[in-house]
Amino acid sequence: MRPGGRTSRTRAAVFDAAMAELAEKGFAGTGMEKIAARAGVATSTVYRRWGGLTGLLQDLVDEITLDVQLTDAGPLAADLAQIARVILLLNRHPVHRPWMDAVVTAAVHDPAARQVLTRTIRRRIDGTAPIVARAAQRGEIPADTDGDEVIRMLAAPFYYRMYISGEPITDDLPDRVAAAVVAAVQAGTLRRTH
Amino acid sequence: MRPGGRTSRTRAAVFDAAMAELAEKGFAGTGMEKIAARAGVATSTVYRRWGGLTGLLQDLVDEITLDVQLTDAGPLAADLAQIARVILLLNRHPVHRPWMDAVVTAAVHDPAARQVLTRTIRRRIDGTAPIVARAAQRGEIPADTDGDEVIRMLAAPFYYRMYISGEPITDDLPDRVAAAVVAAVQAGTLRRTH
């Protein structure tokens, strides 16, 4: 059943409230009661629908990222730069970034958070690797290129700066990393090994 | 003044004790008093020398990583694979990994931890980028290759797996990533932009 009418409006109101709460107070200061109050719906409705804060935020983050429309007109460097720019935007997003900070921190010690993060990344790889496959179909790159690994190589330098080196992410990084990854692909260094 | 004699023995005993504590109890369970007791030295001695747990662990982690002797005989792919294997070993190290987990987690919200991690990564880049410069001197790669960026591209896929995707790091990853990065360098995509 697709949500519509009142259900759809509730969903939108709760998401708006959750985004406002997260942006204002960060992950630690955000609770189901406050979100429900801000959205003008009963707390029980929010719990019934999402189970808890983790479920609600997962759904919200999925919606943020699924909203993004990617094109794959080629050449591959342009398509990959586009994906990298989405990573950059998510990194600066007032809801996505606090969510990501919270889940990365929790994932180090909490298997449930680890699972949420791994599943989220898995879905993003699954959603973008077909763009690499189509470049192979166009004959731009070797047919046995490992699309998953291409996406990992593309994404890794952004997360490395965010959570490891702490160095700034400059606006030219998407184009630079995309060009580097395409060169690696074209040289045949990112083929499937199995 | 270089440490020697009793000072040197104290340092070794405290480092051994800190490693044992970290390996057994993780970062959260490790304290200065327990380390001092295990090392058989006065707690005041440990505080006077390192200021606190952060300073002690920073010094210890520096010693672990500075112990590593890197060669740079070329070709660059072999030298980079060697650096990547060190990252892999540190990731599996009984002290380095808990330290890294703790500092990555803390760095998200704590500026002091952020500074420790950024400084540590900076030192590692400074320590390994000359290997890229020497490949340029040998004429293997473009003269204006950005050595810092080469090291970042090499390291990022490992940290991405550890802290973001949670996917396993396989033993063939150092060679695979090194080959990909060298292809990107040789195509001229990792030149200095300034």
Side-chain angles (χ1 to χ4, degrees):
Chain A
M1 190 188 87
R2 286 183 61 81
R6 198 175 69 171
T7 308
S8 172
R9 281 196 303 276
T10 299
R11 181 181 166 89
V14 169
F15 278 3
D16 283 349
M19 280 201 255
E21 286 286 313
L22 261 185
E24 280 173 25
K25 297 166 193 165
F27 197 86
T30 299
M32 294 288 268
E33 287 73 13
K34 287 177 187 168
I35 292 172
R38 189 164 193 147
V41 305
T43 306
S44 60
T45 303
V46 184
Y47 272 108
R48 199 178 323 115
R49 178 128 181 199
W50 284 283
L53 189 61
T54 303
L56 196 165
L57 293 180
Q58 175 81 61
D59 198 10
L60 171 59
V61 166
D62 284 349
E63 176 147 306
I64 291 170
T65 50
L66 294 178
D67 263 359
V68 176
Q69 296 297 320
L70 293 170
T71 60
D72 60 342
L76 181 59
D79 294 341
L80 292 185
Q82 178 189 222
I83 296 170
R85 278 191 294 272
V86 172
I87 297 172
L88 189 64
L89 287 175
L90 291 178
N91 169 41
R92 296 173 179 173
H93 191 284
V95 174
H96 189 277
R97 183 56 190 266
W99 175 85
M100 190 76 188
D101 286 355
V103 79
V104 166
T105 304
V108 170
H109 295 295
D110 173 0
R114 172 77 272 159
Q115 195 181 24
V116 166
L117 183 52
T118 294
R119 209 169 43 204
T120 300
I121 295 293
R122 183 70 251 165
R123 272 203 296 258
R124 291 186 190 175
I125 292 175
D126 289 342
T128 47
I131 288 175
V132 181
R134 285 192 280 275
Q137 284 158 12
R138 289 193 304 269
E140 263 191 62
I141 56 171
D144 59 349
T145 297
D146 183 341
D148 290 10
E149 192 64 12
V150 171
I151 300 301
R152 289 186 198 104
M153 290 290 294
L154 180 73
F158 292 87
Y159 292 105
Y160 175 80
R161 282 168 171 80
M162 286 180 229
Y163 294 107
I164 308 299
S165 78
E167 295 165 306
I169 296 178
T170 53
D171 286 336
D172 64 340
L173 196 64
D175 286 333
R176 294 197 77 197
V177 174
V181 171
V182 169
V185 169
Q186 288 179 331
T189 63
L190 293 174
R191 296 173 192 263
R192 285 190 295 273
T193 51
H194 44 84
Chain B
M1 191 188 87
R2 285 183 60 80
R6 198 174 70 171
T7 308
S8 172
R9 282 196 303 276
T10 299
R11 183 180 164 89
V14 169
F15 277 3
D16 283 349
M19 280 201 256
E21 286 286 313
L22 262 185
E24 280 174 24
K25 297 166 193 168
F27 197 85
T30 299
M32 294 289 267
E33 288 73 15
K34 286 177 188 168
I35 292 172
R38 190 164 193 147
V41 304
T43 305
S44 60
T45 303
V46 183
Y47 272 108
R48 199 177 324 115
R49 179 130 180 197
W50 284 283
L53 189 61
T54 304
L56 194 164
L57 293 180
Q58 175 81 61
D59 199 11
L60 171 59
V61 166
D62 284 349
E63 176 148 305
I64 291 169
T65 50
L66 294 177
D67 264 0
V68 176
Q69 297 297 320
L70 293 170
T71 60
D72 60 341
L76 182 59
D79 293 341
L80 292 185
Q82 179 190 221
I83 295 169
R85 278 191 294 272
V86 172
I87 297 171
L88 190 63
L89 287 175
L90 290 178
N91 170 41
R92 296 173 179 172
H93 191 285
V95 175
H96 189 278
R97 182 58 190 267
W99 174 85
M100 189 77 187
D101 285 354
V103 79
V104 167
T105 305
V108 171
H109 295 295
D110 174 359
R114 173 76 274 159
Q115 195 180 25
V116 166
L117 183 52
T118 293
R119 209 167 45 204
T120 301
I121 296 293
R122 183 71 252 167
R123 272 204 294 261
R124 290 186 189 175
I125 292 175
D126 290 342
T128 48
I131 288 174
V132 181
R134 284 193 280 275
Q137 285 159 12
R138 289 193 303 269
E140 262 191 63
I141 57 172
D144 59 348
T145 297
D146 184 341
D148 290 10
E149 193 62 13
V150 170
I151 300 301
R152 290 186 197 103
M153 290 290 295
L154 180 74
F158 292 85
Y159 292 106
Y160 175 81
R161 283 169 170 79
M162 284 180 230
Y163 294 108
I164 307 298
S165 77
E167 295 165 305
I169 296 179
T170 51
D171 286 337
D172 64 341
L173 196 64
D175 285 334
R176 293 197 77 197
V177 175
V181 171
V182 168
V185 169
Q186 288 179 331
T189 63
L190 293 173
R191 295 173 193 264
R192 286 189 295 273
T193 51
H194 44 84

